[in-house]
């Protein structure tokens, strides 16, 4: 361009302007509104401390939900409580027409006894599956809830200028409802959380102890695996341990089944295809010299692909049938699906990367790898184009244990980063208008 205009003084000016324009991140080119994160931060950090010190297990998030609803009402949002038991839906209607953008935050804690030295650490105890246990936000959902409340606090005073609607979904039971109960994202959807109005895009984040505060982890396409829980009961015939010929030994049969189930990963799946079959519980027997009547196996199945998921389930059944028939034993198989794979919509993801780089700086956005963990945000991302990113939570000079451990700790400083990141995603998606193509979670790899 400079060359085309020859030697007049104006091209130099235009060239400088162009260079400045190109150096400016996409999201900043259209002078985005100023986000007043610093104003809301002290109050939101205080809320985070309250949530952290008062964790509640899945489907028991009563006080958490009450606090969330109170905060949203104080900002003037439309609030519905009791969605999927303790879920809260808040709607912020902008002053101008435009798309609907949803932010999802999970609220539940885990049966873990916290071991951090945080001044607001949890000392709570509760009952879980008949046992007294410690309860803690060992998965950082207190941070996620606080961030979403912070986003509402930032956006509510801007409502007149917002081109569209923001829907906040505060979800119970992300870790899975207690046995025998329904709950989580799928129940929220069943109860209409994605209707009236239906979002055009949905965002969520997760605390990530492998990233420092200030960084966010970006990924497009498959990001978390599907997760299914299976319980296999192998039944034989009980006998004295000294007279095994009188038994049908479920211990030996279970041992064979455990090894045979590992051939699903090694011999049935394409080696390039992600997939895991892990058994975490082997339970049975009362005394060393009694061959018991039955053995119970429980495990988890992880994949990125619906057809692989179906074929693993089928192979488990076939293998149990074969092994138990050979032994003269019997089996029962229970199968509890938890979540499909979580897939970030490719078009929304690349848009989100530009927005995050504009909001936090390009150095702050790092590409991360998919993992075999699971996340029930998958249900939402199946319904509408979704983007799920990871929030760095480890402050300089500190360390954190892994998620779900007593030593997991998320630094308060991550909250401001999360609010800025999430508010920017919401505002820029509203300003962009128009829906994303949304090839949906399951459709990416048919
Ligand atoms: Zn978790
Ligand atoms: Zn979690």
């Amino acid at each position: 361009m400079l060359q085309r205009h020859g030697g007049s003084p104006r091209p130099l000016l235009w060239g400088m302007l162009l260079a400045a324009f190109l150096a400016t991140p996409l999201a900043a080119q259209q002078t985005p509104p100023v986000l007043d994160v610093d104003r809301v931060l002290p109050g939101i950090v205080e809320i985070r401390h309250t949530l952290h010190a008062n964790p509640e297990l899945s489907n028991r998030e009563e006080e958490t939900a009450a606090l969330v609803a109170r905060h949203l009402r104080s900002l003037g949002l439309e609030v519905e409580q009791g969605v999927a038991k303790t879920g809260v839906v808040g709607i912020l209607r902008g002053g101008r027409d435009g798309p609907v953008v949803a932010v999802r935050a999970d609220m539940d804690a885990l049966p873990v006894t916290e071991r951090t030295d945080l001044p607001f650490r949890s000392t709570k105890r509760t009952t879980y599956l008949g046992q007294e246990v410690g309860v803690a936000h060992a998965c950082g959902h207190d941070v996620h809830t606080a961030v979403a409340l912070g986003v509402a606090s930032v956006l509510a005073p801007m409502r007149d200028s917002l081109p569209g609607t923001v829907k906040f979904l505060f979800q119970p039971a992300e870790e899975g409802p207690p046995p025998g109960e329904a709950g989580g994202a799928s129940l929220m959807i069943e109860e209409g959380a994605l209707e009236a109005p239906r979002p055009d895009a949905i965002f969520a984040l997760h605390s990530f102890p492998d990233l420092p505060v200030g960084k966010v982890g970006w990924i497009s396409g498959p990001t978390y695996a599907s997760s299914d829980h299976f319980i296999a009961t192998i039944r034989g015939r009980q006998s004295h341990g000294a007279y095994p010929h009188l038994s049908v030994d479920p211990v030996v049969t279970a041992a064979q089944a455990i090894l045979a189930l590992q051939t699903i990963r090694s011999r049935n799946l394409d080696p390039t295809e992600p997939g895991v079959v892990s058994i975490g519980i082997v339970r049975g027997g009362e005394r060393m010299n009694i061959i018991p009547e039955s053995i119970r196996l429980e495990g988890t199945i992880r994949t990125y692909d619906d057809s692989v998921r179906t074929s693993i389930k089928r192979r488990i059944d076939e293998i149990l049938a074969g092994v138990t028939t050979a032994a003269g034993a019997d089996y029962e198989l229970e199968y509890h699906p938890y979540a499909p794979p979580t897939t970030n919509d490719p078009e929304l993801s690349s848009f989100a990367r530009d927005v995050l780089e504009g909001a936090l700086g390009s150095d702050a956005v790092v590409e991360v790898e998919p993992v075999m963990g699971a996340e029930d945000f998958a249900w939402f991302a199946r319904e509408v184009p979704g983007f799920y990113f990871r929030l760095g939570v480890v402050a300089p000079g500190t360390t954190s244990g892994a998620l779900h451990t007593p030593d997991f700790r998320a630094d308060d400083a991550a909250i401001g980063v999360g609010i800025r990141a999430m508010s920017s995603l919401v505002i820029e998606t509203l300003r962009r208008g128009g829906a994303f193509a949304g090839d949906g979670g399951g459709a990416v790899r048919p």
Side-chain angles (χ1 to χ4, degrees), residues 110 139 141 174-175 206 404:
L110 287 161
C139 205
H141 298 187
E174 191 285 325
E175 302 287 358
H206 204 290
H404 289 209

Side-chain angles (χ1 to χ4, degrees), residues 25-28 201-203 216-222 343-359 362 365-367 385-389 424-425 428-429 432 435-439:
L26 178 70
I202 184 163
F203 296 106
V216 293
W218 174 92
I219 178 170
S220 179
T343 304
N344 279 346
D345 180 81
E347 190 189 349
L348 181 60
S349 301
S350 68
F351 173 78
R353 179 170 52 192
D354 291 342
V355 172
L356 290 173
E357 287 183 354
S362 50
V365 184
V366 294
E367 187 162 0
F387 175 70
Y388 187 94
F389 63 102
S424 303
L425 287 170
E428 293 309 320
T429 308
R432 177 186 182 275
F436 291 87
D439 32 14

Side-chain angles (χ1 to χ4, degrees), residues 90-165:
I91 296 177
L92 176 65
R93 291 186 202 278
R96 292 153 54 201
D97 280 346
V100 179
V101 177
V103 174
R104 178 280 216 161
D106 38 14
M107 303 190 290
D108 52 332
L110 287 161
V112 167
T113 304
E114 183 164 356
R115 206 160 48 193
T116 73
D117 58 1
L118 293 170
F120 50 91
R121 70 183 167 275
S122 166
T123 54
K124 296 270 163 171
R125 299 190 69 77
T126 189
T127 305
Y128 180 65
L129 303 183
Q131 285 189 312
E132 208 215 308
V133 291
V135 52
H137 272 297
C139 205
H141 298 187
D142 55 327
V143 172
H144 314 167
T145 299
V147 165
L149 291 174
V151 174
S153 296
V154 167
L155 299 184
M158 302 164 68
R159 80 185 69 202
D160 290 346
S161 62
L162 287 182
T165 299

Side-chain angles (χ1 to χ4, degrees), residues 27-35 427-428 431:
Q29 286 171 11
Q30 302 151 336
T31 55
V34 175
L35 299 175
I427 288 184
E428 293 309 320
R431 280 154 49 92

